Amino acid sequence: MSLYYNLTNEQVKEMVDNIGTNFLYQYRADNEHTENIIKNSALWFSRPSEFNDPFECYSILSSFSDSDVEKWLNIKESFLNATTNKQAEARNRAMSMSEKDIKDYIDSKLNDILICCFSKTEKEVLMWSHYSDKHKGMCFQFDVEKDPKLFISPHIVEYVPSISPKNYFWEHTNEFIMQIITTKCYKWCYEQEVRVIKYPDETNINYADKGKTFGFKPEALRKIIFGCKASRETISKYKSLCAYNGFSHVTFSQMQQKKDGSFKLEEKLNI
């Protein structure tokens, strides 16, 4: 799936409009991996198989008929442009595919894709608990407009109560894969997740690797928000890391518990 990096202003605006914000957030614990984001100006993109939900990229295939396969073949340019003999070979292979064959093929496609996960909110208490070391870590704010090359393919996750069976031969392969990687159980809806996806022509990843880092422009990182339990030492360390690694423009704030009994967080600016 080829993507264009030299986006026009209109294309960047459309990208922002599609996700509903130009700011995306990533919750982090204080550890070496988080330090390296600043030291290397790079974010880690993972294979879907490395995610923490066993239902990630989960799909149920419905039954299919020979006519479904025939319709599917006739929308594939490679099939239509092939010789008669090659078409016959391709038809025989497709007609003989079992459900396991299709799932194995889907898994091979998923294995080529890398994903970096973000949230549209910085104030979700559960996210601070789960991903920021029980509020002792931080949350990075990124401005997608400052580095459209990195954030060129953001997709909002759809949350559903259950997975409906899908007929693989009713869909284009890329559309089928996209539905799988952007659908999660509704119980995760508090995450308000946006996934930035890198495709095979961008990843150039070895089969055994679990993921890969992609560099970002330093100006894309706008703010670091510390958790309400972050220590002074942690705050001081990341301020220094930013100062010495080209992130002097980054601002700092800290979450604190609201005093109105609402179980919500509010942000204390410019700490």
Side-chain angles (χ1 to χ4, degrees):
M1 186 178 295
S2 296
L3 298 171
Y4 299 95
Y5 286 153
N6 296 321
L7 298 179
T8 64
N9 291 336
E10 290 75 17
Q11 288 172 316
V12 174
K13 182 180 184 303
E14 181 181 1
M15 180 176 71
V16 171
D17 289 345
N18 286 341
I19 58 176
T21 178
N22 61 311
F23 292 124
L24 292 178
Y25 299 89
Q26 191 173 81
Y27 293 80
R28 307 290 312 182
D30 170 25
N31 56 37
E32 181 182 1
H33 300 299
T34 302
E35 292 177 15
N36 285 338
I37 291 175
I38 298 173
K39 291 178 180 178
N40 302 323
S41 299
L43 286 166
W44 179 257
F45 284 68
S46 300
R47 295 186 191 273
S49 58
E50 296 300 313
F51 290 170
N52 61 356
D53 179 4
F55 291 98
E56 285 284 1
C57 301
Y58 180 60
S59 63
I60 300 175
L61 299 177
S62 63
S63 59
F64 56 89
S65 65
D66 288 351
S67 63
D68 292 329
V69 177
E70 193 67 40
K71 290 177 183 177
W72 177 76
L73 287 170
N74 283 306
I75 63 172
K76 294 177 71 66
E77 188 175 344
S78 59
F79 177 80
L80 297 174
N81 293 334
T83 64
T84 302
N85 288 340
K86 292 293 184 183
Q87 285 185 348
E89 291 174 8
R91 183 179 287 105
N92 289 335
R93 283 197 304 271
M95 293 291 187
S96 63
M97 288 178 74
S98 66
E99 181 176 329
K100 181 181 184 303
D101 292 332
I102 296 172
K103 285 193 172 183
D104 287 346
Y105 178 72
I106 292 170
D107 286 344
S108 72
K109 289 292 185 181
L110 289 170
N111 209 40
D112 288 335
I113 293 171
L114 299 179
I115 300 173
C116 192
C117 302
F118 301 87
S119 176
K120 292 170 67 173
T121 180
E122 76 280 32
K123 296 181 178 179
E124 175 51 58
V125 173
L126 290 178
M127 295 284 278
W128 281 103
S129 298
H130 296 162
Y131 300 110
S132 292
D133 190 20
K134 296 171 283 191
H135 299 255
K136 293 182 285 187
M138 68 216 71
C139 182
F140 287 177
Q141 182 197 67
F142 292 93
D143 186 340
V144 302
E145 292 183 306
K146 300 294 184 181
D147 193 355
K149 178 177 179 178
L150 180 78
F151 295 100
I152 192 171
S153 187
H155 296 273
I156 297 175
V157 169
E158 179 184 6
Y159 301 98
V160 297
S162 62
I163 297 292
S164 301
K166 288 184 173 61
N167 188 325
Y168 174 76
F169 293 103
W170 288 0
E171 312 265 359
H172 287 284
T173 300
N174 289 337
E175 293 173 358
F176 190 89
I177 296 296
M178 187 56 59
Q179 288 180 19
I180 292 175
I181 61 180
T182 58
T183 302
K184 292 184 70 170
C185 174
Y186 74 96
K187 292 185 178 181
W188 295 93
C189 66
Y190 65 88
E191 291 189 340
Q192 298 184 48
E193 187 175 350
V194 175
R195 293 182 163 180
V196 176
I197 300 169
K198 299 298 179 188
Y199 298 96
D201 56 350
E202 302 169 275
T203 58
N204 191 27
I205 188 172
N206 294 323
Y207 181 79
D209 292 342
K210 295 182 178 181
K212 180 180 178 181
T213 56
F214 286 81
F216 64 87
K217 294 180 179 179
E219 57 265 33
L221 179 59
R222 305 310 300 172
K223 180 166 61 173
I224 296 179
I225 308 162
F226 294 97
C228 60
K229 292 184 177 180
S231 67
R232 292 181 180 178
E233 291 76 16
T234 297
I235 294 172
S236 177
K237 177 172 68 173
Y238 283 90
K239 283 185 173 182
S240 296
L241 282 170
C242 285
Y244 290 108
N245 288 278
F247 291 92
S248 58
H249 62 278
V250 169
T251 60
F252 305 94
S253 61
Q254 187 170 18
M255 286 299 182
Q256 56 189 11
Q257 295 167 266
K258 294 191 75 171
K259 306 299 184 183
D260 59 1
S262 61
F263 297 108
K264 294 181 179 179
L265 298 168
E266 60 183 359
E267 191 176 351
K268 182 182 178 182
L269 301 174
N270 302 318
I271 61 172

